[in-house]
Amino acid sequence: MSSDPNCIFCKIVAGQIPAKKVHEDDELLVFHDIHPWAPVHVLVIPKLHIASHTDVTAEHVPLLGRMLALAPRLMKDLGVTNGFRTVLNCGPDGGQEVYHLHMHVMGGPRPWLKG
Ligand code: 5GP
Ligand code: ZN
């Protein structure tokens, strides 16, 4: 399934729900988290609907590489100069709330709300 009509992040990809976008290309979308834990908190998502990390297969490897490679550039563009944190929650015990693969990227001066 490339898109799930009931998925909130697929709706953001489709423009049906607004988001504060910071980057968009053919495969990835990045937007500010609606409840930030840190002064800068963005979510990097594939446009393709992949429900969670456990659904990642070998064909997704280049996509995941692009998500990781994009993070430092995003943080630099958003003015983060003192390091950042990336988090990928998977499944109930991993604290995943939205079942569309996403990578949290957080930075900015501490203290932060979480972590
Ligand atoms: P998870 O716990 O699944 O790793 O994180 C989901 C994240 O998505 C949460 O940090 C939550 O604040 C964020 N989020 C949930 N719904 C929306 C939304 O409609 N818009 C935006 N921008 N972020 C959302
Ligand atoms: Zn989705």
Side-chain angles (χ1 to χ4, degrees):
M1 179 174 21
S2 63
S3 166
D4 176 347
N6 299 314
C7 168
I8 194 160
F9 287 177
C10 283
K11 287 181 184 171
I12 289 177
V13 169
Q16 292 161 356
I17 290 179
K20 268 179 73 186
K21 293 181 190 176
V22 297
H23 171 91
E24 182 164 14
D25 60 44
D26 287 351
E27 292 185 307
L28 303 178
L29 182 65
V30 185
F31 50 91
H32 289 277
D33 195 294
I34 205 163
H35 295 126
W37 314 345
V40 176
H41 183 172
V42 298
L43 301 173
V44 179
I45 71 165
K47 288 186 168 177
L48 178 72
H49 180 84
I50 302 169
S52 85
H53 204 161
T54 49
D55 298 299
V56 165
T57 63
E59 68 180 298
H60 300 132
V61 167
L63 188 63
L64 266 72
R66 269 175 231 127
M67 289 168 70
L68 273 174
L70 185 59
R73 212 182 84 204
L74 291 168
M75 290 295 103
K76 188 167 179 251
D77 290 351
L78 291 167
V80 172
T81 55
N82 200 35
F84 57 88
R85 180 178 175 203
T86 54
V87 171
L88 220 162
N89 296 325
C90 179
D93 287 351
Q96 184 175 4
E97 288 171 7
V98 176
Y99 279 77
H100 179 126
L101 185 75
H102 53 279
M103 187 173 77
H104 299 256
V105 189
M106 292 157 279
R110 287 178 180 271
W112 295 357
L113 198 59
K114 293 192 200 177

